[in-house]
Amino acid sequence: MNDALSLRQVLETPFHARTSALCRTNHWGNWAGYTTVQVYEDVQIEYFAARNAASLFDLSPMTKYDIEGPGAEAFLNRLLTRDVRKLRAGRVAYVAWCDDDGMLMDDGTLFRFDADRFRLCSQERHLPWLLDSAIGFDVDIADVTESVAGLSLQGPTSCEVLRQAGCRDIGALRPFALDRFEIDGVTLVISRTGFTGDLGYELWLPPGDALATWDALMDAGPLHGITPMGSLALDMTRIEAGFLQANVDFLAGGRPTRTGRLRSPLELGLAWLVDFDKGHFNGRRALLAERDNRASRYRLVGLDVDGNKPATDAFLYDRRGREAGVVTSAMWSPTCKKSIAIASLNAGVDVDLDGVWADIYVSRELRWRRIKAPCREVPRPFFNPARRRATPAGHR
Amino acid sequence: MSTKHRYDAIVVGAGHNGMVCAYYLARARRRVLVVDAADAVGGAARPVGFGDLTVPFAAHLDYGFSRRVADDMELARHGLAWASNDIAGTAFGENGARLEWSLARDDTPSPLPARDAGRWPAFRQRMARFASVIEDIAGRVPPCLRGDGADARAWLAIAWRLRRLGAEDMREFLRIGAINIFDVLEETFDDRLLKGALATEAVLGHGLAPRSPNSVLTFLMRMASGGAAALPRGGMTALGEALRSACAARGVEFRLGTAVKRIVIENDRAAGVELDDGEIVSSSDVVSSADARTTGLDLIGAAHLDTGLVRRLCNVRGNGCTARVDLLLDDVGGLERDLLVRRLLYAGDMDTLERAFNDSKYGNVSSEPLVELVFPTVIDPAQKTGRHHLATALVQYVPRTADDAGERALDAARGVIGRMLPGLFERVVDTRTVTPADVENATGIHGGHWHHAEIALDQFFMLRPVPSLARYAMPVAGTWLCGAAMHPGGGISGLPGRNAAAQVIASGGRP
Ligand SMILES: Cc1cc2nc3c(=O)[nH]c(=O)nc-3n(C[C@H](O)[C@H](O)[C@H](O)COP(=O)(O)OP(=O)(O)OC[C@H]3O[C@@H](n4cnc5c(N)ncnc54)[C@H](O)[C@@H]3O)c2cc1C
């Protein structure tokens, strides 16, 4: 191997030849060891493509573990907080997992291919934890991050793009379902999943077929507004969708060195993912104690913030000036036409009763102004179109 | 206590800890069943046949069974008596050098150079003061760090014991706790055999050499349990019989020759055990004297435990390194009679021990091992139930994974013992070896370690065997640990069993 390559610390994804040619801003970021496009051309254009047409996002750096064997279901049921027995073959579930103290390690998606074969996708790497968790279970775990390329095609016209590309029956695929399809002679797995909270699909394929598949989608899409999207625009859509981002809205387990920095799923609004009735799982006893003793320290909420200034990183206070929490993700939502935020409130705070407001600092050409913006608690997702759930899908 | 279950508590394992625990539970009016895979009680000291004799499977001497437990259980009434309550020691060095000593007595070891003899009383007294702190700790259930009033009082009591040592002793205690027995002995004494003999007391049963960290703690543990080496009349198996009898008198039931396959768990609570023939016996509590790892992974199952705990259990250090060699003798005539009633140690000097340990670090049986040799049938004629005499030896270091460990241990012992008692091997008619792997197979204790888990500061007291389990409770409600892997550790003392019973009783049975 040539020296410059072997010394390189950041890898390229299987789509690099295409993404680098299209990345006019030359704005890159390091995602789990891969260099990935932050912005191709313009964040707003990419964001609106996702909301009004179709966006194409290179998902390859997503960490992927294949989990197989007669004990795979039991292994996952002990690892994850949801009841994996209820996940049928050909389905995908949003999942979370905890450490012994009931603190969230990470969230991700679990694909069930058949009775004994699963794939777990997450943002962070967790192989040591998975291998430790496999002790006592008849299961094989393989990190397939490098051998599976991923693309995310999202937006109201995404279904139509896939149909044009040759996936004739794609409209019948239900939300959170997966199936095999063919594009230009390439067989690939498509799941109706995504991080944008809209109609959309994720495509999983061998790296060797990556460029051909990218080209096939781009060729099929012009009339449907297909646009490559970078990570910054994706982040806007995920906030509107109300999804949590590891190491932004919570710290992934195994990372912090200071005690007390981790959060439990109950503190992160993920109680709906925790199935106390399914038998034992990692962290169950700690979570049960937290629930029964009402010992949660925080509560994660969606906020509608007055005004149009994003409450990024803002402290929250109550009407008597006491600290009430912090904003972990915030934006001006072009689609909701609101300033929205995901916030971590201290236990016991009630946004409306306590008169919670965000302390926002804005600079107008370096003249700083402080805005005390009143907040209202609103349900997440902030943006939740019916087309996300409709089957048959698609924009005809 | 509920009437839903057949028993209030099932104790897995009829080793001495299992029986002690069962006794205290029964005394607190629990209906108790003890189940053991073996056909006889006693655990690692249970009777096995050897020629025309009955010998304990592994443990051959009593280094300090808790007097408190013996009194509580009225073991004397149940037949326990002593052939010797302190077998004095003779250590052998190079070129025929010998030294006589006993840690349990004030007598100065002899022969010693004048300077060492002068230093002995102060050394022994200071070590005894330190050991009394350890003794106090050994008898306690480790308190919680984040506990309530009772825990805070326990911490205060321990702090007070330390404080009472006085400033100078306390400084010395903290200083030597952090070094090793080699350095402590080296700076105190000159006589190589004395240092070798004392270092042997620190490392026997442990995967440690004199220069290993924690060897001061193990030395103090040895002194804390009295420092004696005693022999019950009838041998160590008689202790097991007395324990069984005391238990039976309290209504404890026994089921021998049946292994527990798993602990039955319902709704995250113990509900009984499944025996190896598939029968399920119900009980509200299950107390296991198997080591924590075996109990967690094999009896409870990883599916009921959290990953972090499973990982810690897999990393508990507990690879056995002590083997036993028994010699069946047609006669002891012609041997040095006075030696046969003593506890004979081949320690050489501290470097001999260190080299012996080095072999085992790389998976080899020591070629010049530490040997502790006694003649039970001479010390206690009641044990001579047939024509033959018996010599039993503990041989260290024999790693669990060594090939042909039994034969090699026997060969190495033959060389060393031949130097101690020339001519002994000519009288041997049969031999019997027990390696750590044999201990593991026969008792189900992972690693076959004397203490089920190495004794070291990081596996001691509130960190034993792993921090979250130090209070004898497994995370599944109603499942408990009472074996040597628990504080204060192994050696036939009865203390882990007693402490565990106190915790089970304090939990009040079913919540
Ligand atoms: C070679 C050797 C020599 C030793 N010599 C001495 C000595 O001279 N003096 C001394 O004081 N100490 C000695 N020890 C240490 C001593 O034997 C142990 O510390 C002591 O036996 C521990 O007692 P216990 O009751 O905790 O466990 P054990 O004595 O190990 O008993 C555990 C019992 O549990 C049973 N069990 C385990 N799993 C199951 C299951 N699933 N179902 C049913 N039953 C089960 C086993 O059959 C066993 O009977 C020696 C150890 C070794 C290895």
Side-chain angles (χ1 to χ4, degrees), chain B residues 296-310:
Chain B
L297 300 192
D298 299 347
L299 299 184
I300 291 176
H304 294 283
L305 302 175
D306 291 337
T307 295
L309 176 62
V310 168

Side-chain angles (χ1 to χ4, degrees), chain A residues 78-79 99-101 129 132-133 135-137 280-285, chain B residues 268 297 302-312 314 475-477:
Chain A
R78 175 333 191 80
L79 179 78
D99 64 14
D100 293 27
D101 300 325
W129 182 255
D132 285 346
S133 301
I135 296 169
F137 293 90
H280 185 68
F281 57 87
N282 277 337
R284 179 178 183 272
R285 296 180 191 106
Chain B
D268 207 25
L297 300 192
H304 294 283
L305 302 175
D306 291 337
T307 295
L309 176 62
V310 168
R311 184 189 162 81
R312 283 194 294 278
C314 289
V476 177

Side-chain angles (χ1 to χ4, degrees), chain B residues 63-109:
Chain B
Y63 299 107
F65 190 79
S66 161
R67 194 159 302 158
R68 180 134 150 228
V69 173
D71 290 347
D72 283 350
M73 294 181 72
E74 300 177 280
L75 292 184
R77 204 162 67 74
H78 291 281
L80 186 66
W82 303 100
S84 167
N85 49 28
D86 182 26
I87 307 167
T90 297
F92 290 74
E94 286 149 16
N95 308 322
R98 291 186 191 176
L99 177 83
E100 302 194 343
W101 94 104
S102 164
L103 268 189
R105 302 180 199 169
D106 284 330
D107 315 3
T108 302

